[in-house]
Amino acid sequence: MKRMIKKATAIILTLVIAAAAFTANAAAANTNTATSSAAVTIYTKGLNSKNGLHMGSRSMTKVLGMDYNKYLNWLDTHDKDSANPGYYIGTRYSGGDCRNPNGDYKKPYGHDNISGVPGMNCTGFVWHVLYKSCDGGSFCGNHMGGKCQYKTSTGIILPTLYSYSGDSVRWYNFYSSNDIERYYFSTKSAMLKSGVLEKGDIIWQYVGQGEGEMSDYHHIGIYYGNGKSDLFWHCTTPSNNITEIRNVVKTSVYCVLKMVASNDRTPKSVSLSRNKATRGVGDAYQLKATVSPSYAKTSYTWTSSNNKVVSVDKNGKINPLKEGTAVITVKTKNGKTARCNVTVRSAPTSISLSRNKATRGAGDSYQLTATLPKGTMGTYQWSSSNKNIVSVDKNGKINPIKAGKATITVKTYNGKTASCNVTVRNAPSYVKLSRSKATRGAGDSYQLTTKLPANSMATFKWSSSDKSIVSVDKNGNINPIKAGKATITVKTYNGKTASCNVTVKNAPSYVKLNRDTATRDIGDSYQLKTSLPKNTMATFTWSSSDESIVSVDKNGLITPLASGTAVITVMTYNGMTASCTVRVR
C-alpha cells in the first residue's frame, strides 16, 4: 500500500493540461502522451468494462464533517445561476488552482488572464463547493495570491489536485489515507449502469490503469443526475456548466468518491406518512415509510395486528376489511419500527353537499363541503362536467372560469354521488350601494344593499373605517355605536368598491308631535310632524289604534276614513313615543 501511495503522490496532476485536453487542438496534440510505465497493482483487479473496483469504507461527509442534505441544498440553490456574473454557472475557466471564483493565485478576481473577471478550474469548483458545505472549519497556511487552505472541523485540509508551494494535499492522498469509499470503472457506461452513483458524488476521471497508476490527464466534477442519468457539474473550457459526463482525451478510469458510504445507510429511525387513520370498509390506502437520515437505505417488513380487520401488502398498501381496529407496523431491516393505528368504519350509504346549486362570478372561488352519514367513513373524488366553465380541486374548492353552467360531482370510493349545479356569471365591472351617505342615531341599525351590472355576480367583503363609530356585518347591516363619522366600504372579490359615509348622532331621549289632538273630516288628510332633542337622530314607526277610522303611513301622514276616534302613535327606534288623538267627523 505504501509503495502504491508513493507512486501516486509522485505523479504531478496537472489540471492545466487537463483543461487543455478539453479543446480540440490540445486533445490532438496530447493524444500520444505516454502514461506511467509502472506495473498495474493488485488493486486494479476486477476493473473491466463490466465491473467496478470497490475500495474504502468511510463517507466524504463524515471525513469532512459535512451535512449531506445541506450540501445538496447548496447545489440546488446555485444550479440556475446566471452566466453574468456567473456564480457558478458560466464562471470563466481558469487554468490555475482557482478555489474561489472571487480570487486565485495570480489576479485579485480569480482569472489568470483577465484581471477583474471571475474564474476557476475544475478542482477549484469542487474545492469551493466542499468549503461552502463544511461548517465550523478554519483557514490555515498560505496559498498563492493570499488565499489560504481550509481545514474542516474534523481536521482535514480540503484537497486540491494541483500542488503549489505549501499545498501538498492531493486527492489521491486524501481519499486513500482517509479510507474514502470509492468505486473504479473503466467505462462511463459501466459506471452509469452500476447503481453506485448518487447526486453529489464526486467523479474523478483520468488516463491510467487503476487506482495507483495514472497519467497527466485528469478531470473532476460533481455528479448531478438521479443515479443513472448522464449529468455532470464541472468547470472546464470555456466555463463552469452542467453537461453530460465528458471524457478527458480517452479516459480509462472513472473514480466515484462517495459522499455517503454504504455503512452509513443504516436507518436510525423510521416514520410513517400517518400514525393514525380512519377508513371505510374497502377503502384502500397507501402508507409510506420514511427513514432518517434521508439517505439511509433499507428494506421493509409490513404487518397487521388483525388481518381480519385490516390487511397490508409488502409495499405498505392497507385494505380495510370490516369494522374494527388494527395496528399496521413497518419494520426496517435493522429493526427500527413505526406504527399506524387504523380504525375501520362502515362504507358510506350516501353523500351530500353543502349546496346543490350555486351562482358565482367568474373567478369567485367557493368551497363545497361533503357530508357522509353518521358512523360511516370514506374518501371521495371531485369532478366537473365542464372544466372550461368551472374547475374543482381535490378538496372540493370550485373555481368559476367563465360564464356558463357546469355540474360539480363528488363520488365516494364505493360509488355514492352528490352534485351541485353551478351557474357562472360575468365578473362585475363595478358595484354601487343603495346609499352613498346616511345619518343615523346611535344604535339605529340599517341595511345597505348592493347593485351590480346586469348578468354579473359577486360576493362581497364589508369594512368600516372606524369600528368604534359604526360596525358592519358580512351582509351590509351597519350598526351605529356612538356619535361620530365613519365610512362603510363594500369590496367585490375582484376588487371593485363602493362607499357610504355615515354620520352618527346621539339617540333621542324623547320625541314630540306637533299636535296631541286633532279633529278632521272624513278624507281630510293631515301630516303629523316630529321633533327631537338637539344633536340627536332617529327613525320612526307609526301606528293607529284603529286603522278603520284613521290610517297612518310610514311618514306620519294620517287619513281619516270613518266617523269615530283613534290614537296615532309614533315610536323611535330606541322606544321613545308620542301620541295624537284624532276625532273624525
Side-chain angles (χ1 to χ4, degrees):
M1 184 66 179
K2 291 181 178 179
R3 180 184 177 188
M4 178 197 70
I5 295 175
K6 185 176 181 180
K7 285 190 293 180
T9 54
I11 299 168
I12 304 299
L13 309 180
T14 310
L15 276 175
V16 176
I17 299 176
F22 275 98
T23 64
N25 292 335
N30 291 288
T31 300
N32 297 319
T33 300
T35 61
S36 169
S37 60
V40 177
T41 70
I42 191 172
Y43 300 108
T44 61
K45 183 179 179 181
L47 182 61
N48 55 53
S49 61
K50 294 183 179 180
N51 302 304
L53 173 64
H54 177 201
M55 300 191 68
S57 62
R58 300 181 69 196
S59 66
M60 289 278 286
T61 49
K62 277 194 173 181
V63 170
L64 298 178
M66 292 171 56
D67 183 309
Y68 179 62
N69 290 323
K70 180 178 179 179
Y71 167 71
L72 292 181
N73 183 64
W74 192 95
L75 292 170
D76 290 340
T77 300
H78 293 287
D79 63 8
K80 292 181 177 61
D81 289 347
S82 66
N84 185 14
Y87 187 90
Y88 281 86
I89 301 299
T91 302
R92 295 282 296 274
Y93 179 84
S94 172
D97 184 15
C98 306
R99 306 177 189 186
N100 189 326
N102 294 315
D104 80 332
Y105 72 103
K106 286 187 177 180
K107 298 295 182 180
Y109 294 101
H111 196 285
D112 59 358
N113 294 319
I114 307 173
S115 178
V117 177
M120 65 173 70
N121 60 17
C122 57
T123 50
F125 167 61
V126 173
W127 185 95
H128 195 72
V129 173
L130 295 178
Y131 153 65
K132 284 292 188 178
S133 303
C134 290
D135 292 333
S138 60
F139 288 100
C140 62
N142 279 323
H143 182 265
M144 298 294 288
K147 293 299 173 181
C148 299
Q149 297 171 331
Y150 185 78
K151 182 182 287 187
T152 69
S153 61
T154 57
I156 302 295
I157 295 178
L158 289 182
T160 57
L161 197 60
Y162 196 89
S163 178
Y164 287 105
S165 176
D167 180 8
S168 61
V169 180
R170 303 180 185 181
W171 272 100
Y172 178 77
N173 286 346
F174 161 71
Y175 68 62
S176 60
S177 61
N178 287 288
D179 195 34
I180 301 295
E181 181 171 14
R182 55 202 183 273
Y183 295 82
Y184 294 90
F185 300 93
S186 58
T187 67
K188 182 171 75 171
S189 175
M191 177 176 64
L192 291 172
K193 292 178 180 178
S194 68
V196 164
L197 283 170
E198 291 177 291
K199 186 176 180 180
D201 286 345
I202 293 174
I203 300 176
W204 182 15
Q205 306 174 57
Y206 59 87
V207 178
Q209 300 185 48
E211 183 178 44
E213 183 174 313
M214 56 201 73
S215 73
D216 291 339
Y217 294 111
H218 315 276
H219 189 52
I220 196 166
I222 297 173
Y223 180 66
Y224 211 60
N226 60 8
K228 293 184 178 180
S229 57
D230 186 359
L231 208 59
F232 196 42
W233 193 348
H234 59 139
C235 192
T236 183
T237 53
S239 64
N240 196 341
N241 215 331
I242 299 174
T243 69
E244 75 285 355
I245 300 171
R246 292 178 179 173
N247 294 334
V248 180
V249 189
K250 294 181 179 179
T251 297
S252 57
V253 178
Y254 296 82
C255 177
V256 177
L257 302 174
K258 295 298 297 177
M259 296 305 296
V260 180
S262 301
N263 55 15
D264 290 334
R265 300 293 181 175
T266 304
K268 292 181 174 56
S269 65
V270 62
S271 60
L272 286 173
S273 49
R274 301 184 72 167
N275 55 23
K276 62 180 179 179
T278 302
R279 310 294 290 181
V281 173
D283 193 4
Y285 179 73
Q286 179 67 57
L287 283 172
K288 294 181 181 179
T290 303
V291 291
S292 178
S294 60
Y295 48 79
K297 291 185 178 180
T298 186
S299 57
Y300 301 104
T301 302
W302 298 84
T303 58
S304 171
S305 64
N306 192 334
N307 286 313
K308 293 182 179 180
V309 174
V310 184
S311 64
V312 62
D313 68 12
K314 64 180 181 179
N315 298 311
K317 188 174 183 178
I318 66 173
N319 182 28
L321 301 173
K322 69 175 185 178
E323 290 183 75
T325 59
V327 178
I328 302 299
T329 301
V330 64
K331 186 176 182 180
T332 65
K333 191 174 182 179
N334 67 326
K336 305 299 179 181
T337 60
R339 294 175 176 83
C340 177
N341 298 311
V342 182
T343 300
V344 183
R345 294 183 179 173
S346 299
T349 55
S350 63
I351 187 171
S352 60
L353 287 175
S354 49
R355 300 183 72 168
N356 56 22
K357 62 180 180 178
T359 302
R360 310 292 290 183
D364 192 6
S365 59
Y366 178 75
Q367 180 66 58
L368 286 172
T369 55
T371 303
L372 299 174
K374 189 176 181 180
T376 68
M377 189 65 185
T379 55
Y380 32 81
Q381 293 182 336
W382 299 84
S383 62
S384 171
S385 63
N386 191 333
K387 294 179 180 179
N388 294 324
I389 302 297
V390 185
S391 64
V392 61
D393 69 12
K394 63 181 181 179
N395 299 311
K397 188 174 184 178
I398 66 173
N399 180 34
I401 298 170
K402 65 179 182 179
K405 294 182 178 182
T407 301
I408 302 300
T409 301
V410 62
K411 184 178 182 180
T412 67
Y413 72 95
N414 65 332
K416 309 303 176 183
T417 62
S419 299
C420 176
N421 297 314
V422 181
T423 299
V424 182
R425 293 184 180 173
N426 296 322
S429 56
Y430 65 81
V431 60
K432 294 180 180 180
L433 285 174
S434 51
R435 301 184 72 167
S436 60
K437 60 181 180 179
T439 302
R440 310 293 288 182
D444 191 6
S445 60
Y446 177 73
Q447 171 77 53
L448 286 171
T449 58
T450 58
K451 182 180 180 181
L452 298 172
N455 299 319
S456 65
M457 185 68 183
T459 53
F460 309 100
K461 287 185 178 180
W462 297 82
S463 62
S464 171
S465 63
D466 191 336
K467 294 178 181 179
S468 66
I469 303 295
V470 185
S471 65
V472 61
D473 68 13
K474 63 181 182 179
N475 298 311
N477 292 304
I478 65 173
N479 180 32
I481 298 170
K482 65 180 182 180
K485 293 182 178 182
T487 300
I488 301 299
T489 301
V490 64
K491 184 177 182 179
T492 67
Y493 70 92
N494 66 330
K496 308 303 177 182
T497 61
S499 299
C500 176
N501 298 315
V502 181
T503 299
V504 182
K505 294 187 175 181
N506 295 321
S509 56
Y510 62 83
V511 60
K512 293 181 180 180
L513 287 173
N514 57 334
R515 302 186 68 167
D516 53 10
T517 62
T519 301
R520 311 297 292 179
D521 293 330
I522 293 173
D524 188 9
S525 297
Y526 179 73
Q527 178 67 57
L528 287 172
K529 296 181 180 180
T530 59
S531 61
L532 297 171
K534 189 177 181 180
N535 295 322
T536 65
M537 186 67 182
T539 54
F540 307 101
T541 302
W542 297 83
S543 62
S544 171
S545 63
D546 191 336
E547 292 186 350
S548 66
I549 294 175
V550 183
S551 66
V552 61
D553 69 9
K554 64 180 181 178
N555 298 312
L557 181 67
I558 65 174
T559 301
L561 301 173
S563 297
T565 301
V567 178
I568 302 300
T569 301
V570 63
M571 183 169 66
T572 67
Y573 71 92
N574 65 331
M576 304 294 117
T577 61
S579 299
C580 175
T581 301
V582 181
R583 183 169 66 88
V584 181
R585 293 182 299 193

